[in-house]
Amino acid sequence: IGNPFQNEIRITLYLAEHEMVTVRLFDAAGKLVRAKSFHGTRGVNNFSLPNLTHLPSGAYNISIISNSHSISKKLIKPN
């Protein structure tokens, strides 16, 4: 996961099997600002959340959830 981010967040995730992956981006107040689901395939997957230029600078939390993974990470969008 690229950190800090500007216009796009890129995610690389290894999956042991085909499964749905849901990515959610929250602002510092906990408000959901972007959500997207992907069809993941077995092996290395690359996902992205594009078009984030409109988001104000600050701290964000990203949540990546699938049947086999649950990852949360703090991200920064600089000025």
Side-chain angles (χ1 to χ4, degrees):
I1 302 172
N3 193 14
F5 71 95
Q6 289 290 337
N7 181 48
E8 177 180 42
I9 298 171
R10 294 181 185 190
I11 302 157
T12 300
L13 183 65
Y14 177 84
L15 298 173
E17 59 186 270
H18 298 283
E19 57 186 305
M20 288 297 298
V21 176
T22 301
V23 178
R24 293 184 179 119
L25 184 66
F26 301 90
D27 66 14
K31 179 182 173 188
L32 180 66
V33 294
R34 179 69 58 93
K36 191 168 182 181
S37 292
F38 303 93
H39 293 280
T41 59
R42 185 173 186 224
V44 177
N45 291 264
N46 293 297
F47 308 114
S48 69
L49 290 180
N51 304 319
L52 303 175
T53 306
H54 69 284
L55 294 177
S57 60
Y60 291 84
N61 290 299
I62 192 165
S63 173
I64 303 165
I65 301 168
S66 70
N67 289 338
S68 61
H69 291 81
S70 180
I71 302 165
S72 294
K73 186 173 180 180
K74 188 174 199 174
L75 301 177
I76 301 294
K77 182 169 189 222
N79 291 332

